Amino acid sequence: MTTLVAAPLMFISHGAPTFAIEPGILGEQLNHIGQNLSDVKAILVVSPHWQTADIEVMTNPQPETIHDFYGFPKPLYELSYPVKGATDVAKKAIDALKQAGFIVQENPTRGLDHGTWVPLMHLLPNGDIPVFQVSMPKGLDPQSAYELGKTLGPLRKEGVMIIASGSMTHNLHDFRQGVGGDLPYVSSFSDWVKQAVQSERLDQLLAYREFAPGAMRAHPTDEHFLPLFIALGARLGDVNLKTIEGGIEYGILSMDSFAWGLNKSIVSNLVEEDIHEGSEI
């Protein structure tokens, strides 16, 4: 049975793996959202930490927790996120992708990468909603990411929450070097993106390297920003936008995120309510 209201959609900045044990501003807000979700039968996650030649869809009924990172504190490698997969829903995603002309295959053994389980540990710490992933095909760009989102978006009408997990800013060189205080480009880039999303300036967002201040510094490569375009494509005309202020971690990782389709009882308790109504982008 399909739900009458589309399930929520989110772009989540998953930050560094340490986000799992350092929730900060964003973790608390994700937890509040998760406690108030209803009529969500499965969660579809797209993460830059699973990239494949063609699209693959996880059909693993019991996905393992993948610790796909190096050089972080030992406690992170001891964490696990036990959750059921969503095989039946995953196969619906495969059918939708094939009908749209994408080359796609199922992957029955893939586990959850940290771009998925780290934010889910805050959103749904009990792992009580089945989860599956759709890979990001290599060669994706903002326009094709947007088209991918449009293909996946209708699954929301069947109770599938879509999470596009990425990062508002992502410069590994700056992360490794370490900084003293927040670097100015982080907030200027993030502020521009938030204003562009709220004002529905899709053309400028798709050409963000031309229009956004500090774009090349914020994203030397754009795989962590492409999930935003997947989210924009999956909107289904939803104008119920919530901009979630996530703060800045390590001076260079903006944790700002977006959500569409949350009910107002959830939104009223989040930081800096900002519901924007406008035309479809």
Side-chain angles (χ1 to χ4, degrees):
M1 179 181 296
T2 59
T3 55
L4 296 177
V5 178
L9 162 71
M10 296 188 73
F11 167 76
I12 298 178
S13 291
H14 63 247
T18 47
F19 180 39
I21 56 177
E22 298 172 358
I25 299 172
L26 180 60
E28 181 179 352
Q29 296 185 85
L30 292 180
N31 185 261
H32 174 74
I33 292 170
Q35 290 179 25
N36 292 277
L37 290 176
S38 60
D39 297 323
V40 174
K41 70 178 185 181
I43 296 179
L44 183 167
V45 183
V46 182
S47 160
H49 297 286
W50 188 23
Q51 297 184 57
T52 54
D54 297 312
I55 296 176
E56 296 185 19
V57 178
M58 177 193 299
T59 57
N60 190 341
Q62 297 288 338
E64 66 175 333
T65 301
I66 302 174
H67 300 88
D68 51 342
F69 44 80
Y70 306 94
F72 286 90
K74 182 179 178 181
L76 287 175
Y77 301 93
E78 299 171 349
L79 296 175
S80 65
Y81 186 74
V83 67
K84 291 182 179 180
T87 303
D88 291 343
V89 180
K91 290 181 177 179
K92 289 185 178 181
I94 291 172
D95 290 341
L97 290 163
K98 286 182 176 179
Q99 290 176 12
F102 289 97
I103 300 174
V104 57
Q105 62 183 3
E106 65 177 275
N107 187 320
T109 61
R110 174 72 185 185
L112 303 176
D113 63 60
H114 80 271
T116 298
W117 64 263
V118 167
L120 285 179
M121 290 191 77
H122 300 298
L123 183 72
L124 294 165
N126 295 325
D128 48 4
I129 298 179
V131 177
F132 73 103
Q133 287 190 235
V134 174
S135 73
M136 278 178 44
K138 295 178 181 178
L140 206 64
D141 60 18
Q143 184 64 54
S144 56
Y146 181 80
E147 297 301 324
L148 176 57
K150 286 178 65 176
T151 301
L152 297 173
L155 291 170
R156 295 176 58 207
K157 296 180 180 179
E158 301 186 40
V160 180
M161 181 178 183
I162 296 177
I163 295 177
S165 176
S167 190
M168 182 67 83
T169 59
H170 188 262
N171 187 322
L172 289 181
H173 176 75
D174 284 343
F175 182 78
R176 290 166 180 156
Q177 290 294 110
V179 297
D182 298 346
L183 293 179
Y185 78 85
V186 178
S187 58
S188 61
F189 179 84
S190 183
D191 289 345
W192 182 91
V193 173
K194 288 184 290 186
Q195 292 169 10
V197 171
Q198 291 164 359
S199 301
E200 301 182 349
R201 302 198 302 266
L202 180 60
D203 288 345
Q204 290 188 15
L205 284 163
L206 289 171
Y208 78 97
R209 291 202 180 280
E210 178 182 351
F211 290 97
M216 287 301 300
R217 184 83 180 272
H219 291 281
T221 58
D222 62 3
E223 74 285 341
H224 273 73
F225 197 53
L226 292 175
L228 174 61
F229 299 101
I230 294 173
L232 292 173
R235 283 182 62 223
L236 301 178
D238 195 337
V239 295
N240 183 15
L241 168 66
K242 168 63 185 153
T243 301
I244 304 172
E245 303 292 339
I248 298 174
E249 299 292 338
Y250 303 103
I252 56 95
L253 292 174
S254 170
M255 301 295 286
D256 292 338
S257 303
F258 299 107
W260 292 263
L262 299 178
N263 65 55
K264 290 190 176 181
S265 66
I266 298 177
V267 169
S268 62
N269 290 312
L270 295 176
V271 173
E272 296 186 20
E273 178 176 350
D274 186 5
I275 298 296
H276 174 74
E277 294 187 357
S279 58
E280 180 179 0
I281 67 174

